[in-house]
Amino acid sequence: MSPFSARTGFARTWNALALALASRRARGLPVMDLTETNPTRVELPLPAPAPLAHPDALRYAPESLGLLSAREAVAAFLGTRGASLRPEHLVLSASTSEAYGWLFKLLCEPGDNVLVPAPSYPLFEYLARLEGVETRTYRLPRAHGFGLDVDAVDAARDARTRAVLVVNPGNPTGHYLHEGELEALSTLCARAGLALVSDEVFSDFAWGEEPGRVGSVAGRELPMPTFSLSGLSKVAGLPGLKLAWMHVGGPEAARDEALARLELVADTYLPVNTPVQLSLPEWLAHAPRFQGAVLARVKENRRRLLEARPAGAPWDVVPAQGGWSAVLRIPLEPGEEATCLALLEEGVSVQPGYFYDFRGGAFLVLSLLTHPDVFAAALGPLARVLAAGG
Ligand SMILES: Cc1ncc(COP(=O)(O)O)c(C=O)c1O
């Protein structure tokens, strides 16, 4: 019998694509990497690290939900986005991934489930399973531009469903939640006794104006317990600083009970380091410069991608409204993996749609964060391989 828990027994085999990429790198061949989403590796503006040397950085006086001064800084920052939030309703953690773990502990008994969107960011299954929680998928229909279909959410739940996760805007689909969708979702959550967990790490990265878009659920009067998540990883491009926040909202009694319980969970770990909390105003002050540079890059890379598509090509760029990625719809034959392998032969690395659980077609995912020189150089081979059908 294995001495280890079943929930940590994840498959660790390498897929054909990972093997081909490793082999190419081992042979010293160049790779134009259109999968890079690490903002610190693609020549985007970084702040000087000086604020970490705060005079009180080594004095230890922890507060379970995060230092009040740091939560005030987050509330002020979110205030500039139009939400009037109280610092007491914010909880700091080391990452949004950690916040998910806390929320699953808060909301679920082992064996309960949460509803997760598909296609989407693939980490939810891991985060849930590690807490003994199951995931059930609701599909984001392509016909809705990969937007939310509340009937699909309703159909996915069962008696053990505790919460609905939404990613706003979707990663990698780049579709924002809209007012009508939020209203229908709120009605469903209230009727079925579900909490709403809204992942808003990309919400500052809208490419243009759009009527009816929901930027954040924080600060709205919603009828169910509501948790909105974001953090420095995406907002300021500083994933290594390890600071994220969640806003807790919803009906007052449930909100206060959630905060009291989360305080206990957070106090059990106290994971957020003091230097980053003390210097949080400085990191948040860097956000506009970082976001400006990201938006300029992402929009320019996307413009070039659209321009590189010849009229009548058998592939298309899927419409989207924000985020850091582009999704391409490609022919079913030869399909995702064969196309990725053919592109790799030409030195271009992209992700297949199945990494994100796309269905109903074949898709590729490209990071628009890629350095513009690399992105531009990859477009020729990309258009050639896609025109040749992989
Ligand atoms: C949708 C989404 N949520 C959360 C995260 C993780 O952020 P953090 O570094 O705060 O855990 C990512 C990272 O890629 C993401 O894409």
Side-chain angles (χ1 to χ4, degrees), residues 261-284:
R261 290 177 183 231
L262 283 169
E263 184 165 0
L264 224 135
V265 175
D267 191 57
T268 308
Y269 298 94
L270 294 174
V272 195
N273 73 78
T274 305
V276 73
Q277 294 188 77
L278 289 176
S279 48
L280 190 53
E282 277 97 331
W283 309 123
L284 291 171

Side-chain angles (χ1 to χ4, degrees), residues 104 108 112-116 128 133-136 161-163 165:
F104 297 151
C108 301
D112 283 348
N113 65 69
V114 295
L115 303 185
V116 302
V133 171
E134 291 173 15
T135 53
R136 290 170 71 88
T161 303
R162 311 295 304 145
L165 273 52

